[in-house]
Amino acid sequence: MRALVRPPRLAPGARVAVVATSGPVPEERLQAGLDVLRGWDLDPVVMPHVADRHATLGYLAGSDADRAADLQRAWCDPSVAAVLCARGGYGAQRMADLVDWDAMAAAGPKVFVGFSDVTHLHQAFATRLGLVTLYGPVVAGIDFVKNARTQEHLKATLFAPETVRTIATAGAALVPGRARGVTLGGYLGGLAADLGTPFAHGGARGGLLVIEDVTEAPYRIDRLVTQLLRSGWLDGVAGIGLGSWESCGPYEEVRAVLADRLGGLGVPVVEEMGFGHCEGALTVPLGVPAELDADTAALTLEEPALS
C-alpha cells in the first residue's frame, strides 16, 4: 500500500455533481440532500440519469451504460470540483468496466464521496487513478439528510480537512496495539466480490483496512472474511478498523465471528468505529497514511484527507 494523491478541498460556491451509480434514488430524500448541500454554499448539479430506474431490473438506477456515462461526464467536466454518489444499493460493479478510466485520469484529481456499494468504485479510483477518496454518506441517504453529526463530519472533511485529522470513536480494542499504514476498504461484501477483478486492490498488505456491512448474518460475515483470508488478500495487513454491522444479527454474535476470524492475524483491531450503515456515520478517507490506535479507538491521519 502506498499513499495516494489528495484532491483539492472544496471552497464555498464549488460546483458538485450528484450521480447514481447503483440503486434507484428516492426523489424526496434526494431533494432534501440537495438542500443540505446548498446550505453549505455548494452548487449541486444532478446528472441526467439519477432519477432513472432500469426497465426490467428494478434494483438498478437505470442502465449500466447510462450510470457509467453520468459518472464519466461529471468527472470530466472541468467546472465540477466533486462527485457525490446519490445512494448505494447494488450496481456499481456492473458499470465499473464501462467507464473510460484513461479519460477520467486525464481529467485530474477531484473529490469523490460515497459508501456501501460504492466500494467497487473506491477501489477503481485507487488502483486506476491513484486518488484518495472519501468513504462517506450518500446525498439521498437517511443519515445524511437527518443526522447532524454525519453532515458536520463530512462538511469538515470537505472544507477544512485539517480539523478532522483524528477520527475518534466510542469503539474499543478487539485486539490491542498500534499500527501504521495506508487506509483502504469499504463494505465487506464488496471487497470479497471484487477479488480477482481488474480494478480491485491486489491485497491489503501494509494497509489499515476499514470494513463494515449491513444485513449480513453472522455466518455470512464469517464466509466473507474467510474468503479474504483464504485468498491471501489479508496477508500483511497492518491493522483493522471495524465499522457498523447494522441488521447483521445480535452484535455479540457478530463480534464473536470477527474476533475468531481476525484475532489470529496478530494485528490491532478496533471495533465499533462509527462509520458505515449506522446513525451518525463518520467519513473515512481511503488512501491516506494513518495510525490506528486500538487502545484509544482512534484513527489519526498523517496528513489531511484533502489538499
Side-chain angles (χ1 to χ4, degrees):
M1 292 299 302
R2 59 183 177 84
L4 304 181
V5 174
R6 296 178 298 143
R9 70 186 66 199
L10 299 188
R15 192 170 193 235
V16 299
V18 179
V19 300
T21 61
S22 307
V25 181
E27 176 65 23
E28 184 177 348
R29 290 215 308 265
L30 174 63
Q31 293 304 321
L34 294 174
D35 286 343
V36 172
L37 297 176
R38 294 185 185 107
W40 295 354
D41 197 19
L42 293 174
D43 176 22
V45 55
V46 178
M47 299 306 291
H49 299 287
V50 168
D52 287 4
R53 185 180 289 265
H54 195 282
T56 56
L57 304 177
Y59 49 81
L60 297 174
S63 72
D64 299 337
D66 285 342
R67 298 196 314 282
D70 272 4
L71 173 62
Q72 184 173 322
R73 178 179 170 187
W75 193 264
C76 294
D77 183 340
S79 73
V80 170
V83 174
L84 314 179
C85 294
R87 68 157 290 186
Y90 172 75
Q93 67 174 162
R94 289 177 51 118
M95 49 79 82
D97 297 328
L98 303 178
V99 174
D100 184 340
W101 291 100
D102 290 335
M104 299 269 282
K110 56 187 67 177
V111 177
F112 180 71
V113 187
F115 85 117
S116 193
D117 188 60
V118 183
T119 295
H120 302 286
L121 297 175
H122 283 296
Q123 294 218 92
F125 275 94
T127 60
R128 292 304 303 269
L129 305 189
L131 194 63
V132 168
T133 56
L134 303 179
Y135 193 79
V138 290
V139 174
I142 295 176
D143 202 47
F144 179 67
V145 169
K146 296 186 176 181
N147 192 282
R149 184 174 92 146
T150 293
Q151 293 175 9
E152 290 306 312
H153 196 259
L154 176 60
K155 181 181 179 182
T157 304
L158 292 174
F159 289 96
E162 66 280 354
T163 67
V164 284
R165 289 274 296 275
T166 296
I167 301 172
T169 75
L174 193 63
V175 178
R178 289 185 180 182
R180 299 171 75 91
V182 176
T183 56
L184 78 160
Y187 91 102
L188 175 61
L191 295 173
D194 267 352
L195 287 175
T197 60
F199 306 143
H201 285 289
R205 182 174 298 277
L208 295 178
L209 177 65
V210 291
I211 53 172
E212 56 91 25
D213 216 321
V214 62
T215 63
E216 293 284 6
Y219 81 91
R220 288 161 64 179
I221 293 172
D222 186 318
R223 180 171 62 199
L224 293 167
V225 177
T226 298
Q227 184 177 4
L228 295 180
L229 288 166
R230 293 184 67 214
S231 70
W233 198 85
L234 289 177
D235 291 355
V237 66
I240 301 174
L242 304 173
S244 63
W245 305 94
E246 186 70 22
S247 302
C248 291
Y251 182 66
E252 295 76 13
E253 296 181 19
V254 173
R255 186 180 190 274
V257 169
L258 295 169
D260 177 86
R261 295 283 71 199
L262 300 175
L265 291 172
V267 302
V269 181
V270 184
E271 61 178 330
E272 298 188 285
M273 291 194 67
F275 64 88
H277 295 77
C278 58
E279 184 176 353
L282 303 174
T283 297
V284 179
L286 304 178
V288 179
E291 180 181 76
L292 181 70
D293 187 337
D295 301 316
T296 62
L299 180 70
T300 301
L301 310 177
E302 293 186 5
E303 56 189 13
L306 307 178
S307 64

